[in-house]
Amino acid sequence: MRVGILTGGGDCPGLNAVIRAVARKGIVHYGFDILGIKNGWLGLIEGRILPLDLASISGILPRGGTILGTTRTNPFKVEDGVGKIFAQVEKFELDAVIAVGGEDTLGVASKLHDKGLRCVGVPKTIDNDLRGTDYTFGFDTAVSIVAEALDRLHTTAEAHHRVMVVEVMGRNAGWIAVEGGIAGGADIILIPEFPFDLDEVCAQIQSRRERGKMFSIVVVAEGARPKDSSLIALSGEKDAFGHVRLGGVGNLIGREIEMRTAIDTRVTVLGYIQRGGSPTAFDRILATRFGVAAIDMVQQEKFGYMVGLQGNRIVHVPFEEALAEPKTVDADLYEIAKVFFG
Ligand code: F6P
């Protein structure tokens, strides 16, 4: 068989571990030809496809990013994008495509599968908000980075008796904020699932001061928003999947807290630090398990499914089920975080 693999959407640590696992098992165990498709769906439209051999995947396990490159290209928004994809599939004699991506990339995989492309999905989102899998790789790395940042911000916040607002990733769901915040001992965590009230936030900060704790760490997910307000976007521009670029909620909250409480407040936006660099051991193992499972599915000719982790078992989830709606933060987990608020 000739199998193409592509990585689409925002990158995250562990993508190279998936590519390595797919190629290693595909080449050595099944005798497949594995082809790397550059830059997500764009590479399939343009025919930027090259063979992967054992040498090209050597040494990539601990590397962040993706050796294949990535874009947020939506073939359904490109003139004759779908027609071009099927032409390239024929030209390169691809028997199957493994798409590694989040809701947008897998949404395209699902639609192309309905049109006859033999596709397997591997879930990827730093935000951990895909349904059908308990975890996506990259998320554990991001949580570790947030926890380490909070440890560092604690010491400077305490020294200066300041409020530190820390903005982290999380467009539709606050998984990074909640898990990173619990791990790093946040005093308040604000997430998209529960619009916040700034008066309440300020009251929590004040009452903590009255208890003698002269600093506060407030973690906010980029998609969090005040009650009765919409998402805080950096600009009105939308990507090919209709998402606005978020950013700015941390600064808004920081300004308001300082104005309302007269407490010295600083803001840190962690940004792309959370997505860069080497994956944790957990993410390397999860990504490897996903890659092996994906190529096994190709060998079994089981298409139209995404691999996932449920409990500690690898499962196969139909695309429609995985893509039905985002996986938002578990209310019980948020209750645990709230025990430590204020
Ligand atoms: O979708 C994952 C994500 O990291 C979001 O948390 C964030 O809003 C977005 O990607 C950033 O996208 P880009 O890489 O296009 O700036």
Side-chain angles (χ1 to χ4, degrees), residues 2-6 35 37 41 43-49 81-98 112-113 115-119:
R2 285 169 66 80
V3 184
I5 176 167
L6 62 84
L35 293 101
I37 301 163
W41 294 114
L44 199 47
I45 293 170
E46 294 177 341
R48 296 198 58 200
I49 299 169
V82 173
K84 287 176 180 158
I85 283 182
F86 278 96
Q88 299 294 357
V89 165
E90 207 179 304
K91 178 175 164 199
F92 285 88
E93 297 174 351
L94 294 179
D95 298 300
V97 171
I98 296 176
L112 292 176
H113 174 258
K115 291 181 180 297
L117 186 69
R118 295 164 22 124
C119 267

Side-chain angles (χ1 to χ4, degrees), residues 33-113:
D33 290 327
I34 305 292
L35 293 101
I37 301 163
K38 300 288 280 182
N39 305 329
W41 294 114
L42 182 63
L44 199 47
I45 293 170
E46 294 177 341
R48 296 198 58 200
I49 299 169
L50 49 120
L52 292 178
D53 57 15
L54 295 182
S56 50
I57 54 155
S58 170
I60 66 171
L61 175 65
R63 272 171 58 191
T66 158
I67 59 165
L68 295 176
T70 183
T71 60
R72 293 190 186 276
T73 305
N74 182 351
F76 290 88
K77 293 276 170 66
V78 173
E79 208 189 322
D80 195 28
V82 173
K84 287 176 180 158
I85 283 182
F86 278 96
Q88 299 294 357
V89 165
E90 207 179 304
K91 178 175 164 199
F92 285 88
E93 297 174 351
L94 294 179
D95 298 300
V97 171
I98 296 176
V100 188
E103 56 160 331
D104 299 330
T105 304
L106 297 186
V108 170
S110 175
K111 287 203 238 167
L112 292 176
H113 174 258

Side-chain angles (χ1 to χ4, degrees), residues 9-11 72 104 124-127 129 168-172 176 222 239 244-246 272 275:
D11 73 331
R72 293 190 186 276
D104 299 330
K124 177 259 14 152
T125 149
I126 202 83
D127 293 349
D129 61 353
V168 302
M169 283 186 168
R171 173 178 281 282
N172 303 306
I176 295 180
E222 63 186 344
D239 69 14
V244 287
R245 202 162 145 211
L246 296 181
Y272 296 90
R275 267 181 18 194

Side-chain angles (χ1 to χ4, degrees), residues 135-149:
Y135 286 104
T136 47
F137 58 86
F139 171 69
D140 183 67
T141 307
V143 168
S144 307
I145 291 165
V146 171
E148 197 206 324

Side-chain angles (χ1 to χ4, degrees), residues 2-3 18 23 53 63 71 172 199 202 217 268-269 272 300 305 317 330 338:
R2 285 169 66 80
V3 184
V18 176
D53 57 15
R63 272 171 58 191
T71 60
N172 303 306
D199 288 332
C202 291
I217 307 286
T268 301
V269 179
Y272 296 90
Q300 294 154 16
Y305 289 80
V317 185
D330 182 347
K338 277 162 82 175

Side-chain angles (χ1 to χ4, degrees), residues 278-302:
S278 193
T280 59
F282 179 90
D283 283 336
R284 294 179 198 192
I285 295 164
L286 182 60
T288 299
R289 291 179 76 187
F290 279 172
V292 166
I295 196 72
D296 286 347
M297 277 168 78
V298 171
Q299 201 269 338
Q300 294 154 16
E301 308 209 6
K302 188 167 182 184

